[in-house]
Each structure stands twice: as structure tokens, then as C-alpha cells.
Amino acid sequence: MAVAAAVPAQQLGLAMISSLAFLRSRAVASVASKSCRLKFEKEVAHSNLCGAVFGRQGRRGSIVRGPCSKARNLCAYATTQESVRGPSQAGPPSTDGGVIDTSPPRGTRDFPPEEMRLRTWLFDNFREVSRSFGFEEVDFPVLESEELYIRKAGEEITQQLYNFEDKGGRRVTLRPELTPSLARLVLQKGKSAALPLKWFAIGQCWRYERMTRGRRREHYQWNMDIIGVPGLEAEAELLSAIVAFFSRLGITSKDVGIKVSNRKVLQEVLGRSVIPQRSFAAVCVIVDKIEKIPRSEVEKELAGLGLPVEAVDTILQALTLRSLDDLEELLGSENEAVLELKQLFELARGYGFEDWLQFDASVVRGLAYYTGTVFEGFDRSGTLRAICGGGRYDRLLSTFGGVDTPACGFGFGDAVIVELLKEKNLMPDLSHEVDDIVMPLEEQLRPQAAAVAARLRACGRRVDVVMGNKKMKWAFKHAERLQAKRMVLVGSAEWAKGSVRVKDLSSREEKDLPIEELV
């Protein structure tokens, strides 16, 4: 009896200990949750910095990877463990079925099939235009040395780098643009590359910047560059390629214009104001913001370079010029910038795209390496930011240890042009299409259906094989969704005679066709 009575007592003792342990764990979890929530709030500022490097911020209750994730993941556990595990469970959180954020990092994009079709179509047009002008395609690493992009002109781009130190202690960055990579490759090739070079590239670029319509932190960029041609025929060829691309997409000069100027205009104005040449690049960077920030801020930044009030007024007044006649009156008919701009407009007249061009002295481009002609494509309705931009950069190679080499090019982003196509109702119909649907009518005929599909694909047709045990009604709906042209049915009776049943889905006619005639 004593032994029998001891058993319930032991069980009761264990139950009490278990209950006390559970209550204590609940109290600890509550404290941990409060502590973590406080730590989470303190970590937000730092997580924003991490977002600047990785383009992502953690959310409370999310299991996130990367810097700052330890504290946030602890919070996620503390705030979600009861709902996930239940109060009666014990042990560490399971990694299976963890809560994750399914959105891509902020400012980046996924490309599901419908978006990928659009991207492929756009890139195909980039390539076809480039090749029609005799350009060859190149590419560069997405990851580049940081020093390739760190310049001393105070450019906005230097504050937008996704840069970090790699495991070997090297300072690297995701490329924010393609031109410096191009310059590096040209220098690497050296004299083995016969000039002129006509190269184009379509590459992914990264900038940590404020996002607006058509502006993302990750985008693709189409570049065309000409190396080794000092004359304005190079700029004219590039502008002609841009116009050809717009025309292919159905965009006209009523929809889009191209503002054109020359860095030498501002250089001449600064020279007349006795401004040191070393200030020129910094002035260009500031002036490029004239449509982004109030004039008073531009004046303040120019004054911060040590420019007198009179010089600032002269610069800003010159930037209001909108005709070559007014520019000639200001600088004189023999001024180098005036002569080059006149020549460029004459070449544009010869190419037949003069109506796309518009002189605008305020265009200087925000990158310090430009030296001559500069231009920007713009939406005439004014609803979108610059569509593309470029110009001449004769001294870029020398900044990386090479010699001054005549060069010019442009960059054209993928995001803004898509917004423009939507605005103008010019988006293409890019639904998924196949030529043939092949369907075995019996499961044992699946190898024969595979042979039919292989034969058709070898003939260059796009073929989808019905997989799984599907009914004919489903197959016809599937064919309609894929806009298939034919249904090829593999049945035992037809196969025994060496043929298949072919149904034309547009005319609804069908016939038995010998396999050797199937193309």
C-alpha cells in the first residue's frame, strides 16, 4: 500500500514541477518579448543602414537573414512562438515553416513569366538596334572595385553605392553604371583593340537612392559607346540609334524629345567669371540638380564652392538659354561650343531626326567625366524623369591611368521606357504561345508522344506535352490559354498505322497524318 500510494505522489510532484516550469517559461518569454521589442526599435536605425547595403529591412515577426537579423529573429521568435508552437510545447523554434517576407528586397524586382517576356522583348529591341548600327555586344562583372567609382567631384552617385569590404579585405561595389567598367576593359585590351570601338552592353546596375516612378535601386541599362572617334559624327550616330529605338516601339518626336547642350558652354561662362578650372566638375554636378531642387539651394551650393554672387547669377542666367541664336549672341559665332552644336544639328538634319532635338543649356549631366556634347531624352508630357542620357567623355580613360582618348556614349534604363509605353498605350501583347500541344490518349503511349514532341521540336516548333492524366476538355482549354496552333493526339489505333491525329485549332479541321510527314 505504501508503494502504491507513493506513485500518485511522485506523479503529482512531477506535475507541479512541470506547471511551475511552464509558468516560469511564460514569464521569461514575456520579458524576452518586451526586451526584444525594445531592442528591435533600437535596431531599426541600424537595420536601415543594412538595407542600404542589402536593399532590405526586417519586419517584426519575420525571420530575416543578414546583418541585424539576430536581434530581429529573436524578437520574431518571442512574439510568434505561442501562435506557432502553442503554449504546451517546449524547445527551440523550428526552422521548418518559418515566417519569411516573400517580397524582393526594397527597390528590386522579381521577373515572373509575364514580366520576363516583356524584359526579353525590350532587350531584343536594344540588341537589334545596336547590331543594325554595327555595334558588338560586351559585358562586365556586376561586382567591381570601389575605386572605379569614387571620384572627387561630389557626384551623387558616389553616395549611392552598394559598397562593402569582401572577405579578402578588398573594397568592392555593385556597379551603379556601365561606363567606368567599359573604360577599364578598353584599358585592359590596350593596343590589341583596333580603334574605333563600337560596343554595346545590357547590364544590371545598382544605386541606393530615393525611389520614384521609373527609378529603382536595381535596374538594367542599355549602353552604346564609341571609342576613338573625335568628330561629332559619333554623337550623331548615337542619337540616331536612340531615335531608331523609339521609332521601333511606336514612340514619336511628339512623345519624346532629346535635350542637347555642350559642357564647353558652362566652361566658357566660368572662364569669363574667372572661376578656377578645378571647380568646373563640381559646378556641373551642382547645376545638374537644377530641376530637382529649388534654385535657392543651387545658389547656396554654388556659393559653398567659393563662387561670388555675380558668378552664380551669370551661370544661372546662361542656363536659361533655349536657342542656338541666343547662345551665339552670348558667346560669339566662333565659340567652340557654338560651332560644335551647329554641326551636330546639321548632322541631325541629314539623318532626319532634327525634330527630336532641342537645345537646352541647362543640360550638363551629373557625372564629372563628360567633356563636350551632353544630351538627355525626356518625356514631352513632363510626367516622367529622364529616359536616357549621355555625351562625350574624352578624358575618362586618363583618369584611370590611360591616355586621353576620344569617346562618347549613352545609358538607357529599362524602367522608365516601360512606364512611357504604358503611358502611351504601346505595351506589346506578349502572351505565352506554343505551336503544338502533344497529348497521349493512353498512358502507355507516353513514350510515343515523347517521340512525336522531339520530332516537332527538332523541326523548330514550340511544343508543349500534356503531362499527367488529363481529360480532353482540359487539354483544349490548355491549348487555348497557350494560343496553340495545333493539337497532336497520339492514339493506339492511329499509332498502329504509323500516324497521329492532327487538329488545326483555328479551322477546327482534323486529319490523320503519317509520322514521317509531321513537321
Side-chain angles (χ1 to χ4, degrees):
M1 292 294 293
V3 173
V7 173
Q10 283 183 331
Q11 291 178 342
L12 179 61
L14 290 173
M16 291 176 66
I17 292 170
S18 178
S19 298
L20 287 170
F22 170 69
L23 291 172
R24 182 181 179 187
S25 69
R26 286 292 301 271
V28 169
S30 176
V31 171
S33 177
K34 291 178 181 178
S35 173
C36 285
R37 280 195 292 270
L38 289 173
K39 185 167 183 60
F40 178 86
E41 298 298 335
K42 291 173 68 176
E43 285 283 331
V44 165
H46 186 48
S47 74
N48 287 337
L49 177 61
C50 292
V53 178
F54 293 93
R56 178 171 188 164
Q57 295 179 15
R59 295 181 182 176
R60 186 180 303 171
S62 297
I63 306 300
V64 200
R65 303 290 183 258
C68 305
S69 64
K70 184 175 181 181
R72 291 197 299 272
N73 290 346
L74 182 59
C75 284
Y77 168 52
T79 55
T80 63
Q81 61 173 335
E82 288 190 15
S83 62
V84 175
R85 290 167 43 215
S88 62
Q89 298 181 19
S94 171
T95 57
D96 296 334
V99 181
I100 64 168
D101 184 354
T102 59
S103 300
R106 182 170 170 80
T108 67
R109 297 165 289 175
D110 289 319
F111 288 91
E114 62 276 8
E115 296 295 335
M116 195 65 195
R117 289 196 294 270
L118 177 61
R119 193 182 96 179
T120 300
W121 170 83
L122 186 65
F123 288 10
D124 285 346
N125 278 284
F126 287 157
R127 288 189 169 96
E128 287 173 18
V129 169
S130 299
R131 289 170 181 154
S132 72
F133 279 73
F135 283 64
E136 289 188 288
E137 188 167 8
V138 296
D139 200 4
F140 328 98
V142 173
L143 190 68
E144 285 278 17
S145 170
E146 183 187 65
E147 65 180 352
L148 199 61
Y149 298 94
I150 299 297
R151 295 181 287 265
K152 298 178 180 179
E155 296 168 331
E156 189 178 34
I157 196 173
T158 62
Q159 288 101 48
Q160 298 172 345
L161 298 178
Y162 277 86
N163 50 347
F164 53 95
E165 186 176 289
D166 70 9
K167 293 181 180 180
R170 293 170 289 266
R171 294 296 304 175
V172 293
T173 183
L174 297 177
R175 63 187 180 198
E177 56 160 333
L178 301 180
T179 305
S181 296
L182 170 80
R184 180 184 54 72
L185 182 57
V186 171
L187 289 173
Q188 179 194 122
K189 299 293 286 184
K191 293 183 179 179
S192 66
L195 300 180
L197 300 177
K198 294 172 66 178
W199 288 352
F200 79 95
I202 303 169
Q204 192 178 34
C205 299
W206 299 79
R207 296 188 188 186
Y208 192 82
E209 59 180 338
R210 186 176 64 86
M211 292 179 295
T212 58
R213 185 183 177 194
R215 182 187 291 266
R216 303 178 184 276
R217 290 173 179 169
E218 162 270 332
H219 72 281
Y220 286 85
Q221 188 166 297
W222 169 41
N223 274 32
M224 289 181 69
D225 295 270
I226 299 175
I227 312 294
V229 177
L232 286 160
E233 59 269 27
E235 285 95 324
E237 189 80 347
L238 294 172
L239 289 167
S240 181
I242 292 172
V243 170
F245 173 78
F246 283 135
S247 299
R248 283 178 66 94
L249 273 54
I251 296 169
T252 70
S253 59
K254 294 181 180 178
D255 304 315
V256 167
I258 303 175
K259 297 177 182 179
V260 179
S261 189
N262 194 302
R263 277 283 184 96
K264 295 172 185 177
V265 172
L266 187 56
Q267 203 166 10
E268 176 70 19
V269 172
L270 291 178
R272 294 184 178 188
S273 300
V274 198
I275 304 300
Q277 183 61 34
R278 63 178 179 273
S279 301
F280 178 64
V283 169
C284 290
V285 170
I286 295 170
V287 167
D288 185 58
K289 305 174 187 177
I290 200 163
E291 292 184 356
K292 306 171 188 175
I293 61 177
R295 178 187 169 111
S296 58
E297 286 297 314
V298 174
E299 293 174 346
K300 183 179 178 180
E301 291 192 26
L302 289 173
L305 294 177
L307 274 62
V309 176
E310 299 79 10
V312 171
D313 290 340
T314 301
I315 290 169
L316 296 179
Q317 183 62 34
L319 295 177
T320 64
L321 298 177
R322 296 294 181 270
S323 78
L324 287 179
D325 290 339
D326 290 340
L327 180 66
E328 185 174 352
E329 184 177 341
L330 176 66
L331 302 182
S333 59
E334 298 303 313
N335 178 267
E336 189 175 3
V338 173
L339 293 174
E340 288 184 5
L341 285 164
K342 281 187 173 181
Q343 184 184 352
L344 183 59
F345 273 82
E346 287 176 7
L347 288 167
R349 192 176 304 117
Y351 274 103
F353 63 82
E354 186 185 17
D355 58 324
W356 291 74
L357 301 189
Q358 173 182 314
F359 171 69
D360 188 332
S362 68
V363 176
V364 295
R365 304 292 294 160
L367 295 169
Y369 52 70
Y370 288 115
T371 57
T373 303
V374 283
F375 54 84
E376 286 183 358
F378 69 99
D379 167 28
R380 291 193 187 274
S381 67
T383 58
L384 297 171
R385 58 181 286 265
I387 302 169
C388 60
R392 180 161 288 275
Y393 52 90
D394 289 348
R395 290 194 289 273
L396 179 62
L397 295 185
S398 62
T399 64
F400 297 127
V403 297
D404 286 345
T405 304
C408 59
F410 69 79
F412 195 120
D414 70 316
V416 180
I417 187 62
V418 170
E419 293 297 325
L420 182 65
L421 292 172
K422 292 176 181 177
E423 192 88 15
K424 304 298 179 184
N425 294 317
L426 293 172
M427 290 288 284
D429 180 10
L430 299 171
S431 55
H432 180 40
E433 296 180 7
V434 300
D435 295 313
D436 301 317
I437 301 288
V438 175
M439 180 175 182
L441 297 180
E442 302 165 40
E443 189 61 29
Q444 63 267 27
L445 291 173
R446 191 162 292 284
Q448 291 84 340
V452 169
R455 175 184 175 85
L456 290 169
R457 287 166 181 158
C459 294
R461 296 182 69 82
R462 298 167 295 177
V463 181
D464 183 73
V465 178
V466 175
M467 294 180 283
N469 186 20
K470 301 294 184 181
K471 295 183 178 180
M472 189 63 70
K473 183 178 180 181
W474 181 93
F476 277 112
K477 286 185 177 180
H478 182 61
E480 183 180 0
R481 183 175 64 83
L482 297 182
Q483 299 185 38
K485 299 177 177 64
R486 300 188 307 186
M487 178 84 79
V488 181
L489 304 175
V490 182
S492 55
E494 292 82 5
W495 191 262
K497 294 184 292 185
S499 62
V500 291
R501 178 64 56 88
V502 179
K503 185 178 183 66
D504 187 310
L505 296 175
S506 59
S507 66
R508 297 294 176 179
E509 296 179 355
E510 59 181 76
K511 60 181 178 180
D512 290 349
L513 194 67
I515 296 170
E516 60 270 17
E517 296 180 17
L518 188 62
V519 291

